Short mmCIF file of all heavy atoms in Angstrom, two decimals:
data_model
loop_
_atom_site.label_atom_id
_atom_site.label_comp_id
_atom_site.label_asym_id
_atom_site.label_seq_id
_atom_site.Cartn_x
_atom_site.Cartn_y
_atom_site.Cartn_z
N ARG A 239 97.43 102.86 122.15
CA ARG A 239 96.20 103.13 121.41
C ARG A 239 96.22 102.41 120.07
O ARG A 239 97.30 102.13 119.53
CB ARG A 239 96.05 104.63 121.19
CG ARG A 239 95.90 105.45 122.48
CD ARG A 239 95.85 106.94 122.18
NE ARG A 239 97.11 107.38 121.59
CZ ARG A 239 98.15 107.80 122.29
NH1 ARG A 239 98.12 107.81 123.62
NH2 ARG A 239 99.26 108.19 121.68
N PRO A 240 95.04 102.12 119.49
CA PRO A 240 95.00 101.48 118.17
C PRO A 240 95.80 102.29 117.15
O PRO A 240 95.70 103.52 117.10
CB PRO A 240 93.52 101.48 117.83
CG PRO A 240 92.82 101.48 119.15
CD PRO A 240 93.68 102.31 120.05
N LYS A 241 96.58 101.60 116.36
CA LYS A 241 97.43 102.28 115.39
C LYS A 241 96.61 102.64 114.15
O LYS A 241 95.95 101.78 113.56
CB LYS A 241 98.60 101.36 115.00
CG LYS A 241 99.64 102.03 114.11
CD LYS A 241 100.76 101.06 113.77
CE LYS A 241 101.61 100.71 114.99
NZ LYS A 241 102.77 99.86 114.61
N PRO A 242 96.63 103.90 113.73
CA PRO A 242 95.89 104.30 112.53
C PRO A 242 96.33 103.50 111.32
O PRO A 242 97.49 103.08 111.22
CB PRO A 242 96.23 105.79 112.38
CG PRO A 242 96.62 106.23 113.76
CD PRO A 242 97.29 105.04 114.39
N ALA A 243 95.42 103.31 110.38
CA ALA A 243 95.70 102.45 109.22
C ALA A 243 96.93 102.90 108.45
O ALA A 243 97.73 102.07 107.99
CB ALA A 243 94.47 102.42 108.30
N ALA A 244 97.12 104.20 108.29
CA ALA A 244 98.23 104.71 107.49
C ALA A 244 99.59 104.38 108.10
O ALA A 244 100.61 104.43 107.41
CB ALA A 244 98.09 106.22 107.31
N GLU A 245 99.63 104.06 109.40
CA GLU A 245 100.90 103.80 110.08
C GLU A 245 101.28 102.32 110.09
O GLU A 245 102.33 101.96 110.64
CB GLU A 245 100.82 104.33 111.52
CG GLU A 245 100.64 105.84 111.61
CD GLU A 245 100.55 106.33 113.03
OE1 GLU A 245 100.89 105.54 113.96
OE2 GLU A 245 100.13 107.49 113.25
N TRP A 246 100.47 101.47 109.49
CA TRP A 246 100.80 100.04 109.45
C TRP A 246 101.92 99.80 108.44
O TRP A 246 102.17 100.60 107.54
CB TRP A 246 99.57 99.23 109.05
CG TRP A 246 98.55 99.09 110.13
CD1 TRP A 246 98.16 100.04 111.03
CD2 TRP A 246 97.77 97.93 110.41
NE1 TRP A 246 97.18 99.54 111.86
CE2 TRP A 246 96.92 98.24 111.50
CE3 TRP A 246 97.70 96.66 109.85
CZ2 TRP A 246 96.03 97.32 112.03
CZ3 TRP A 246 96.80 95.74 110.38
CH2 TRP A 246 95.98 96.07 111.46
N ARG A 247 102.57 98.65 108.60
CA ARG A 247 103.65 98.27 107.68
C ARG A 247 103.10 97.94 106.30
O ARG A 247 102.05 97.33 106.17
CB ARG A 247 104.40 97.05 108.21
CG ARG A 247 105.22 97.27 109.43
CD ARG A 247 105.94 95.98 109.83
NE ARG A 247 105.05 94.99 110.38
CZ ARG A 247 105.43 93.75 110.73
NH1 ARG A 247 106.69 93.37 110.54
NH2 ARG A 247 104.58 92.91 111.26
N GLU A 248 103.88 98.31 105.29
CA GLU A 248 103.51 97.90 103.94
C GLU A 248 103.90 96.44 103.70
O GLU A 248 103.11 95.66 103.15
CB GLU A 248 104.20 98.78 102.90
CG GLU A 248 103.90 98.35 101.47
CD GLU A 248 104.67 99.14 100.43
OE1 GLU A 248 105.49 99.99 100.82
OE2 GLU A 248 104.46 98.88 99.23
N LEU A 249 105.10 96.07 104.10
CA LEU A 249 105.55 94.69 103.88
C LEU A 249 105.02 93.79 104.99
O LEU A 249 105.73 93.42 105.93
CB LEU A 249 107.08 94.64 103.82
CG LEU A 249 107.71 95.26 102.57
CD1 LEU A 249 109.22 95.08 102.59
CD2 LEU A 249 107.14 94.63 101.30
N SER A 250 103.76 93.46 104.88
CA SER A 250 103.16 92.60 105.89
C SER A 250 101.93 91.91 105.33
O SER A 250 101.35 92.34 104.32
CB SER A 250 102.77 93.39 107.15
OG SER A 250 101.63 94.19 106.90
N LEU A 251 101.55 90.85 106.00
CA LEU A 251 100.24 90.23 105.86
C LEU A 251 99.40 90.77 107.00
O LEU A 251 99.71 90.53 108.17
CB LEU A 251 100.34 88.70 105.95
CG LEU A 251 99.03 87.96 106.19
CD1 LEU A 251 98.11 88.06 104.98
CD2 LEU A 251 99.29 86.49 106.54
N ALA A 252 98.36 91.52 106.68
CA ALA A 252 97.51 92.13 107.70
C ALA A 252 96.25 91.28 107.88
O ALA A 252 95.57 90.96 106.91
CB ALA A 252 97.13 93.55 107.30
N THR A 253 95.96 90.93 109.12
CA THR A 253 94.76 90.18 109.45
C THR A 253 94.15 90.77 110.72
O THR A 253 94.80 91.53 111.44
CB THR A 253 95.07 88.69 109.69
OG1 THR A 253 95.89 88.56 110.86
CG2 THR A 253 95.77 88.06 108.50
N VAL A 254 92.91 90.38 110.98
CA VAL A 254 92.29 90.81 112.23
C VAL A 254 92.73 89.91 113.38
O VAL A 254 93.15 90.37 114.43
CB VAL A 254 90.75 90.81 112.12
CG1 VAL A 254 90.11 91.18 113.47
CG2 VAL A 254 90.30 91.80 111.05
N GLY A 255 92.66 88.61 113.18
CA GLY A 255 92.98 87.67 114.25
C GLY A 255 93.89 86.56 113.78
O GLY A 255 94.52 86.64 112.72
N THR A 256 93.94 85.50 114.55
CA THR A 256 94.76 84.34 114.25
C THR A 256 94.04 83.09 114.74
O THR A 256 93.06 83.19 115.49
CB THR A 256 96.15 84.46 114.93
OG1 THR A 256 96.89 83.27 114.70
CG2 THR A 256 96.02 84.66 116.43
N HIS A 257 94.54 81.92 114.34
CA HIS A 257 93.87 80.67 114.71
C HIS A 257 93.96 80.38 116.21
O HIS A 257 93.26 79.51 116.71
CB HIS A 257 94.46 79.50 113.92
CG HIS A 257 95.95 79.38 114.04
ND1 HIS A 257 96.81 79.66 113.00
CD2 HIS A 257 96.75 79.03 115.08
CE1 HIS A 257 98.05 79.49 113.38
NE2 HIS A 257 98.05 79.09 114.65
N ASP A 258 94.82 81.09 116.92
CA ASP A 258 94.94 80.89 118.36
C ASP A 258 94.00 81.81 119.15
O ASP A 258 94.07 81.86 120.38
CB ASP A 258 96.38 81.15 118.83
CG ASP A 258 97.33 80.03 118.39
OD1 ASP A 258 96.85 78.91 118.16
OD2 ASP A 258 98.53 80.30 118.27
N MET A 259 93.16 82.54 118.44
CA MET A 259 92.19 83.43 119.06
C MET A 259 90.82 83.14 118.45
O MET A 259 90.74 82.56 117.37
CB MET A 259 92.57 84.90 118.81
CG MET A 259 93.94 85.28 119.34
SD MET A 259 94.49 86.88 118.70
CE MET A 259 93.26 87.95 119.49
N PRO A 260 89.75 83.55 119.11
CA PRO A 260 88.43 83.35 118.49
C PRO A 260 88.29 84.20 117.23
O PRO A 260 88.97 85.22 117.09
CB PRO A 260 87.45 83.83 119.57
CG PRO A 260 88.22 83.94 120.82
CD PRO A 260 89.64 84.20 120.42
N PRO A 261 87.42 83.80 116.32
CA PRO A 261 87.09 84.70 115.22
C PRO A 261 86.54 86.02 115.76
O PRO A 261 86.28 86.16 116.97
CB PRO A 261 86.01 83.92 114.44
CG PRO A 261 86.25 82.49 114.80
CD PRO A 261 86.73 82.51 116.22
N ILE A 262 86.34 86.98 114.89
CA ILE A 262 85.99 88.34 115.32
C ILE A 262 84.80 88.35 116.26
O ILE A 262 84.85 88.97 117.34
CB ILE A 262 85.72 89.23 114.09
CG1 ILE A 262 87.00 89.46 113.31
CG2 ILE A 262 85.13 90.57 114.54
CD1 ILE A 262 86.81 90.16 111.98
N THR A 263 83.72 87.68 115.88
CA THR A 263 82.50 87.74 116.70
C THR A 263 82.74 87.16 118.08
O THR A 263 82.30 87.72 119.09
CB THR A 263 81.35 87.01 115.99
OG1 THR A 263 81.16 87.59 114.69
CG2 THR A 263 80.07 87.13 116.79
N GLY A 264 83.45 86.05 118.15
CA GLY A 264 83.75 85.47 119.46
C GLY A 264 84.65 86.37 120.28
O GLY A 264 84.49 86.48 121.50
N PHE A 265 85.60 87.02 119.61
CA PHE A 265 86.53 87.88 120.33
C PHE A 265 85.83 89.09 120.93
O PHE A 265 86.04 89.42 122.11
CB PHE A 265 87.65 88.33 119.39
CG PHE A 265 88.71 89.16 120.07
CD1 PHE A 265 89.75 88.55 120.75
CD2 PHE A 265 88.66 90.54 120.04
CE1 PHE A 265 90.73 89.31 121.38
CE2 PHE A 265 89.63 91.31 120.66
CZ PHE A 265 90.67 90.69 121.34
N VAL A 266 84.99 89.77 120.14
CA VAL A 266 84.37 90.99 120.67
C VAL A 266 83.42 90.67 121.82
O VAL A 266 83.21 91.52 122.70
CB VAL A 266 83.64 91.78 119.56
CG1 VAL A 266 84.61 92.20 118.47
CG2 VAL A 266 82.48 91.00 118.97
N HIS A 267 82.88 89.46 121.86
CA HIS A 267 82.02 89.07 122.97
C HIS A 267 82.81 88.50 124.15
O HIS A 267 82.21 88.08 125.14
CB HIS A 267 80.98 88.05 122.50
CG HIS A 267 79.87 88.66 121.69
ND1 HIS A 267 78.78 89.29 122.27
CD2 HIS A 267 79.68 88.76 120.36
CE1 HIS A 267 77.97 89.74 121.32
NE2 HIS A 267 78.50 89.43 120.14
N GLY A 268 84.15 88.47 124.04
CA GLY A 268 84.97 88.02 125.15
C GLY A 268 84.96 86.53 125.38
O GLY A 268 85.27 86.06 126.48
#
């Protein structure tokens, strides 16, 4: 299941996606 925000790592760079995936809009549309 999606991990709640409070359980994410502190020592990290948090992003939604990466250059090897579509941007958000492209991703949600499959």
Side-chain angles (χ1 to χ4, degrees):
R239 297 176 296 271
K241 187 180 291 185
E245 296 180 14
W246 285 40
R247 291 181 287 176
E248 178 185 3
L249 289 183
S250 73
L251 164 68
T253 66
V254 176
T256 176
H257 54 251
D258 288 335
M259 301 168 66
I262 292 172
T263 303
F265 183 84
V266 299
H267 284 279

